[in-house]
Amino acid sequence: MARRVAVVGGGSSGLACIKCCLDEGLQPVCFESSDDMGGLWRFKENPEADRASIYHSVIINTSKEMMCFSDFPIPAHFPNYMHNSLIMDYFRMYADHFQLTKHIRFNTKVLQVKQRSDFSQSGQWDIETENKEGKKEKHIFDAVMICIGHHCQPNLPLHDFPGIDTFKGQFFHSRDYKTPEQWRDKKVVVIGIGNSGGDIAVELSKVTKQLYLSTRRGAWILNRVGDNGLPLDMLFNRAIELLKNVLPFNFFSGLVESQLNKRFDHTLYNLKPQHRLFSQHPTVNDELPNRILSGTVQVKPNVRRFQGSSVEFDDGSVVEDVDLVVFATGYRFSFPFLASQVLSVSDNKASLYKYVFPHELQRHTLAIIGLVQPLGAIMPISEMQARWATRVFKGCAKLPSVVDMMKDIQCKKKTMAQRYVSSQRHTIQVDYISYMDEIAEQVGVRPSVLRLLLTDPRMGLNVLLGPCTPYQYRLQGPGKWAGARQAILTQWERVAQPMQTRPCPAAEPHRSFLWPLMVSAAVVGVAFYINRSKLPTFLQDPTELLERIKVFMPAL
């Protein structure tokens, strides 16, 4: 019989896990506590406990070619940066195409996941679930994949804000924000300048009397629109990644920071942090500079205290009559259905080999999928982790010794501590290309740029100098997809298609006289050099030499 795998959570990571289980001949059963798939990207008017929640206007920060699953490109007519409703449409297409939905048990909450008494031999798990009618069931599984994400439990550090209990207005976490209309002509303070804080501040500033954006450290602001109007994340490639790894950290950071300051001076806008660009997860926001420039957003330092309806900031400034405070202060993650001896979490830190496997288990039949925060899309990363985990479950891939895994974990912690600002949000940070390659190496699907350059130069150049789209990890090895090469060669066509909404006449070619003039000058110069002995004669009668030159002159 096929090994049974429990998948906890039916969001983007859960869907990838179901698909990867089927690819490896495993039998997945997905438990989803809500009545639909999609996880974080499924908008609901009212936030639900222990589930991710987004606001109505959310648009993803990564472009469609960079966020798609590796063997299922997003339709060409979809916009490059998609609204959450379109992301849900894509997930449904993916689930329908690979027939994933029949493996999902909706309205089923996982209460407990624990090792069986014979775990050291069988590697099996006892799982207890509860449906919406309150009926509980017990199941036995050969392996478990946990895909609940890290946006379910809001971090609301009210103890860091003296006087909040006296505040007369409303306050809530950013997960509870939905639409801006009810805050028209009000004064609002948004605390936190991550992606949610920036987006909410921009949206509210269009209706509020005044919006104040409070930040402790400041932030480097990236925009979705890159050079020539192309998606910014598609302009990063393996060649740039190589430069980043070769050049000194501060030097490379400085190069990119200077480019960001050309768009707008972060010091002038009171946003420049003390840390370098790659020492914090950057904020992606195209509109924030314009809102600051127009005065509808005022950047303020950290909040010192609340008093009644007033808010005092660290610089001593006070804003009176504040109606709303939005805490965009991030999230905590935990696994309440897992025993602490299986996996413990403290201060958003969990000891996982390559952020996937608890290293001390006697049998490696438990995988945490999607518990990373990349500068890039999570979907391809979760899929790559799932491809690896299912091959480990199946016995096609082996993990190293506990000692070696622990060395890798400690090395990553040390590297992260040296690079990043100390923060709860930087405990699961990864760089997209290097991490994808690291896991792909375990699966046997990391593309060999050198081999491609020798055997298929066109593809090799696309892989080296083009965007590191997920299709690159389907060119070879287990799970090889016949359509990967064509998907890579046509990726820029899919970028362009949704923007071709009106006929645009091609520019008339302008005839340039520059090259003929340059060639003519060179010919004249050569002719003078060859006939330099006859120069005195030429000065008296230039007709003869000019006739010789005309033979070599290009027709204008």
Side-chain angles (χ1 to χ4, degrees), residues 67 154 325 367 370 397 528:
M67 64 154 280
V325 176
F528 269 105

Side-chain angles (χ1 to χ4, degrees), residues 65 192 446 511:
E65 291 298 304
R446 179 176 179 174
R511 189 175 182 183

Side-chain angles (χ1 to χ4, degrees), residues 503-524:
C504 191
E508 288 290 333
H510 295 287
R511 189 175 182 183
S512 174
F513 293 96
L514 178 61
W515 281 106
L517 287 174
M518 290 175 64
V519 172
S520 300
V523 170
V524 171

Side-chain angles (χ1 to χ4, degrees), residues 4-20:
R4 299 181 73 232
V5 180
V7 178
V8 183
S12 61
S13 297
L15 292 175
C17 286
I18 299 171
K19 161 73 163 50
C20 291

Side-chain angles (χ1 to χ4, degrees), residues 476-496:
Q476 63 183 50
K480 179 180 178 180
W481 175 44
R485 186 179 190 276
Q486 185 63 17
I488 293 172
L489 296 178
T490 56
Q491 57 197 4
W492 288 110
E493 295 174 19
R494 289 189 296 277
V495 170

Side-chain angles (χ1 to χ4, degrees), residues 106-140:
F106 294 107
N107 296 305
T108 305
K109 182 179 181 180
V110 173
L111 302 177
Q112 190 176 52
V113 176
K114 65 178 183 179
Q115 298 157 290
R116 303 208 79 206
S117 57
D118 64 345
F119 179 79
S120 60
Q121 285 78 40
S122 68
Q124 291 182 324
W125 299 84
D126 285 320
I127 295 184
E128 184 178 12
T129 61
E130 181 181 39
N131 64 18
K132 64 179 180 180
E133 286 81 29
K135 181 182 177 181
K136 296 181 180 180
E137 287 186 84
K138 293 186 177 180
H139 317 264
I140 299 173

Side-chain angles (χ1 to χ4, degrees), residues 116-234:
R116 303 208 79 206
S117 57
D118 64 345
F119 179 79
S120 60
Q121 285 78 40
S122 68
Q124 291 182 324
W125 299 84
D126 285 320
I127 295 184
E128 184 178 12
T129 61
E130 181 181 39
N131 64 18
K132 64 179 180 180
E133 286 81 29
K135 181 182 177 181
K136 296 181 180 180
E137 287 186 84
K138 293 186 177 180
H139 317 264
I140 299 173
F141 284 94
D142 298 298
V144 181
M145 306 177 85
I146 296 176
C147 316
I148 62 173
H150 50 93
H151 292 95
C152 294
Q153 301 173 29
N155 178 46
L156 195 59
L158 299 182
H159 57 275
D160 291 338
F161 298 92
I164 187 65
D165 54 322
T166 71
F167 183 58
K168 294 181 179 179
Q170 283 188 249
F171 68 86
F172 50 71
H173 191 269
S174 57
R175 80 182 296 272
D176 296 318
Y177 172 79
K178 294 298 175 180
T179 56
E181 283 77 15
Q182 71 182 100
W183 305 108
R184 186 172 296 277
D185 297 325
K186 305 293 185 181
K187 285 186 181 180
V188 177
V189 174
V190 174
I191 298 175
I193 198 172
N195 287 317
S196 293
D199 281 351
I200 292 171
V202 165
E203 182 166 273
L204 282 170
S205 71
K206 296 175 183 178
V207 300
T208 54
K209 182 177 182 180
Q210 184 61 59
L211 190 292
Y212 301 91
L213 178 58
S214 169
T215 171
R216 284 181 299 172
R217 300 189 184 97
W220 294 102
I221 310 297
L222 303 181
N223 53 310
R224 294 180 178 92
V225 184
D227 292 345
N228 300 310
L230 297 172
L232 180 68
D233 56 359
M234 292 191 72

